[in-house]
Amino acid sequence: MKAYNFMPCRILFFVQLITPCVVGGKVPAIIVFGDSTVDTGNNNQILTVLRSNFPPYGRDYYDKKATGRFCNGRIPPDFISEAFGLRPFVPAYLDPMYNITDFAVGVCFASAGTGYDSTTSHVLNVMPLWKEIENYKEYQKKLEAYVGIQKSKYIIQDALYIVSMGTNDFLENYFAMQSVRAFQYTTEQYRGFIIGHVENFIKEIYQLGARKISLTGLPPMGCLPLERSANMLRGQGDTCNNNYNDCALKFNEMLSALIQKLNKELPGIRIAFANPYGIILQMVQNPASFGGKVPAIIVFGDSSVDAGNNNQISTVLKSNFEPYGRDFYGKMPTGRFCNGRIPPDFISEAFGLRPFVPAYLDPMFNITDFAGGVCFASAGTGYDNATSQVLSVIPLWKEIENYKEYQKKLEAYVGSKKAKYIIQEALYLVSLGTNDFLENYYSIQSKRASQFTIEQYQGFLIELAENFIKQIYQLGARKISFTGLPPMGCLPLERATNIIRGHGDACNEKYNDCALRFNVMLNGLVDKLNRELPGMKMVFSNPYELILQIIRNPSSFGFEVAGVACCGTGLFEMSYLCDKLNPLTCTDANKYVFWDSFHLSQKTNLIITNFLMKNVLNQFL
């Protein structure tokens, strides 16, 4: 006998049921109760056979880590947490890797195999729901000791509570062979019995402070592969067990009615019914309509998209040390110039691929990983080869050489036909140019400034950009997202430089104007190449206006600070100046638009990615 996890890991539709329009910060924490659909690893720490902390579980999680999630990657609470601008994962309360400093913004008490009915937890010796509540009470005491009474009360009352269980009560308990419950109750009576437990549970956590609750309904549990297999053994063919599906539908109707009742009865409560039944049934009945049109994400560029290639070269421009990556999976500094993930990671996940794009030079990964996405970017590089020489990083021509090498490895791995398909159907993300201006042209003693006027240098870079696109087009690229420059005069480093010059804490408008003009030229190049190159589908992903809006009005996006960065003083630190020895680094990067003096925080990256997915990259879905 086993517990049942019906939540699809690869697609984010379940999250959309709960967070249809979320940007930023009305929820300070995610608190989770339930079964294997939401257990992030608590069962690892108890004496039960129901575990998943071994391969191939977690093979699409970062570092291919089997965390105890019953999935190949992340599960709904992880996605929901990230959608609310919090961490991209919710740690398990019993996981010794984490403590109250982590749990203050999200914690999971769920136990795979449990249910509303305490006898369900006895089947596989897992945590009953009452024990999840006891752990929650213990958590509240730890939280109060950590943040104080007032803030603790705020977190408890404003947190989003995710409750997801019930499938095991029916499949593991009531419908099981020699079920005691089946002798005690008819199916209708047992549904009512469970609803009574749901009501008592909601009222109990309400008394403990919960006010925002997402109560998850049952999936079409008769369509689980195990149940379809059982149908085949009974001679009924490879079909869903409609008896179980009908049971789920009727139970969901009762849950919906209970929610309406409790919303009326309990002052200040807001319970939402997150019902996955319909969308999961659509996926089961018509899986092809939910398939991705992009088989891989392939990345070229600079630190805005470098996933760790600079770790493997001789340069001072690295970020593979703390506190970089402190909000990444496992608090791991990967070489991303961020506290967590960067845009290619979010874009990859939005297309139903992995939640991260590995760096090509990272020895942890190989062609089996790169077939679904690969990053060739190098922090500090530019279109101009002279830019890469400033800090001895990988020039763009070398990124292309690595890409050619990758193509050969891909063909050897999947065959020429599939390799050609991946190369032509992949989405290519190209993001660079800021370093060409700030690190090269506008730097002290710049040779380029003596060779070109700023208009001439912009034209020079556009020619290089055109040549680059034509090169990767000749190598098979057909779907390309070409990223414009941000308002680079508003980077904390440039604002700090303005202060030194006596110009006040303002953006450098000269640099911003340069970025605006260059973006106009890039947009024109995109139009030109779409006309000239047969089969090309190229889009201009321009983050300028959105980033400027965030900087000018941070509170409307859930931020508190836009003028300085989280790391150190926030004025000039990045790379080795931003290390774990700097005592001034902020405790919550979600309040900051910028992570270091040159790079955006994970939360800002997510907001930008959501915008681009909705308005630009959606045409590739």
Side-chain angles (χ1 to χ4, degrees), residues 29-33 93-94 100 103 107-110 127-144 152-161 201-213:
I30 302 294
I31 297 176
V32 185
F33 294 94
Y93 183 64
L94 300 184
I100 193 61
F103 301 147
V107 59
C108 173
F109 300 101
M127 280 193 290
L129 189 54
W130 66 261
K131 181 60 177 175
E132 291 188 25
I133 295 173
E134 288 303 307
N135 286 340
Y136 173 57
K137 291 176 182 177
E138 180 183 79
Y139 160 76
Q140 286 196 346
K141 293 177 183 177
K142 292 179 180 178
L143 185 66
E144 184 175 318
S152 173
K153 183 178 180 181
Y154 160 70
I155 292 172
I156 293 299
Q157 289 194 348
D158 275 46
L160 173 62
Y161 291 75
F201 167 72
I202 295 297
K203 286 181 177 179
E204 189 165 2
I205 63 171
Y206 174 81
Q207 289 299 323
L208 292 168
R211 292 297 181 270
K212 300 175 181 177
I213 302 172

Side-chain angles (χ1 to χ4, degrees), residues 61-67 87-89 97-98 102 306-308 311-312 318-342 345 355-359 362-365 580 595 602:
Y61 199 80
Y62 187 76
D63 197 16
K64 306 179 184 180
K65 186 176 182 180
T67 59
R87 280 186 169 175
F89 61 94
M97 182 185 297
Y98 302 98
D102 305 290
D306 182 4
N311 300 352
Q312 310 304 321
K318 295 185 179 183
S319 59
N320 55 340
F321 46 83
E322 299 174 0
Y324 286 100
R326 73 180 189 189
D327 294 314
F328 200 78
Y329 307 107
K331 306 180 184 180
M332 181 179 290
T334 59
R336 289 163 171 83
F337 281 78
C338 188
N339 59 301
R341 293 199 288 165
I342 53 178
D345 300 320
F356 60 93
V357 179
D362 191 333
M364 184 187 297
F365 302 99
K580 64 180 180 181
W595 163 247
Q602 174 177 254

